[in-house]
Amino acid sequence: MKKSELSFFITLSLAMLVPVPGRLAYGIILILFLNILVLTGILFIGAGIFLVANEGVTFLSVAFIVGLMFVIAGIVECLSYNSYRGDNVERSWILNDGATTLVLGGLILLNRIAADAVVPMILGLWVLITGIRNFVNAWEHIEEKGNDFYDHLIIGIINIVFGLYVFFDGEIFNLASITMIGLCIIVQGINIIHVGSTIRIIKPTFIKTK
């Protein structure tokens, strides 16, 4: 579905059906659903920037907020995977990614992942796996080379490079653990925004015009 068609459907849902409260509510929900993943990604990026700018804090002091963010992002991603504008295999990856994020959030909330030295490694592996998934998706569509190809390729390479860097940071810049955690969250926020930008909205039958 093209962006122009998507905008038309949303506008139609709100403008043409305003007199009917139920359908107006649907139009509002439609817009919220479309943007909720993007907003979640922005929240991740904001939280990541905060952690990078405050390297003196310990992960334990922000673990509850980070864990809650992960749980929310995981739930949202799992609920929206069926609307992803990719093939079935790619949608399965989105579901797997959402489930992984949800599980990580739960473990953080339960203080099972709390050591400052361990958290960056786990999140780095998480980012690395996401990068491999995006790169493989781009490679499978290398002959088409549409917009989705370049999106997946660029984001995949960024994720793979950064995910690998986490494991060699001690020999390079030796950044603080909380800084590495913040950077991992920023990168994953970009991934979430990318997924949110590919959500497909389908008009239900009761608002379709003849």
Side-chain angles (χ1 to χ4, degrees), residues 23 47 89 148 173:
R23 292 177 178 177
V89 174
D148 290 344
F173 293 112

Side-chain angles (χ1 to χ4, degrees), residues 10-11 29 34 44 55 91 93 116-117 136 185-186 193 206 208:
I10 293 175
T11 304
I29 293 172
L34 174 65
F44 262 60
E55 63 177 25
R91 279 198 292 270
W93 270 107
D116 283 11
V136 169
I185 293 175
I186 290 173
I193 290 175
F206 70 84
K208 290 183 178 178

Side-chain angles (χ1 to χ4, degrees), residues 81 84 87-98:
Y81 87 99
Y84 184 73
D87 55 30
N88 291 330
V89 174
E90 180 65 8
R91 279 198 292 270
S92 296
W93 270 107
I94 296 300
L95 180 59
N96 289 334
D97 190 64

Side-chain angles (χ1 to χ4, degrees), residues 6 19 53 62 78 87 114 128 131 152 154:
L6 181 60
V62 295
C78 286
D87 55 30
L128 179 60
H152 285 288
I154 294 172

Side-chain angles (χ1 to χ4, degrees), residues 55-147:
E55 63 177 25
V57 304
T58 62
F59 178 72
L60 195 60
S61 64
V62 295
F64 177 78
I65 296 175
V66 172
L68 187 61
M69 284 174 46
F70 275 46
V71 168
I72 293 173
I75 292 173
V76 170
E77 206 165 357
C78 286
L79 291 176
S80 61
Y81 87 99
N82 198 43
S83 298
Y84 184 73
R85 228 179 19 240
D87 55 30
N88 291 330
V89 174
E90 180 65 8
R91 279 198 292 270
S92 296
W93 270 107
I94 296 300
L95 180 59
N96 289 334
D97 190 64
T100 302
T101 305
L102 179 59
V103 170
L104 280 175
L107 292 174
I108 292 173
L109 288 176
L110 294 173
N111 289 325
R112 300 302 177 184
I113 305 176
D116 283 11
V118 175
V119 178
M121 298 296 180
I122 295 176
L123 297 186
L125 182 60
W126 175 50
V127 169
L128 179 60
I129 292 173
T130 303
I132 293 173
R133 185 256 299 172
N134 278 287
F135 185 82
V136 169
N137 182 275
W139 188 265
E140 289 177 343
H141 298 85
I142 192 170
E143 295 182 358
E144 301 172 11
K145 291 188 177 180
N147 292 330

Side-chain angles (χ1 to χ4, degrees), residues 160-170 172-175 180:
I160 291 172
V161 170
F162 183 76
L164 289 173
Y165 170 78
V166 171
F167 294 91
F168 298 96
D169 174 64
I172 305 177
F173 293 112
N174 196 24
L175 300 174
M180 295 302 301

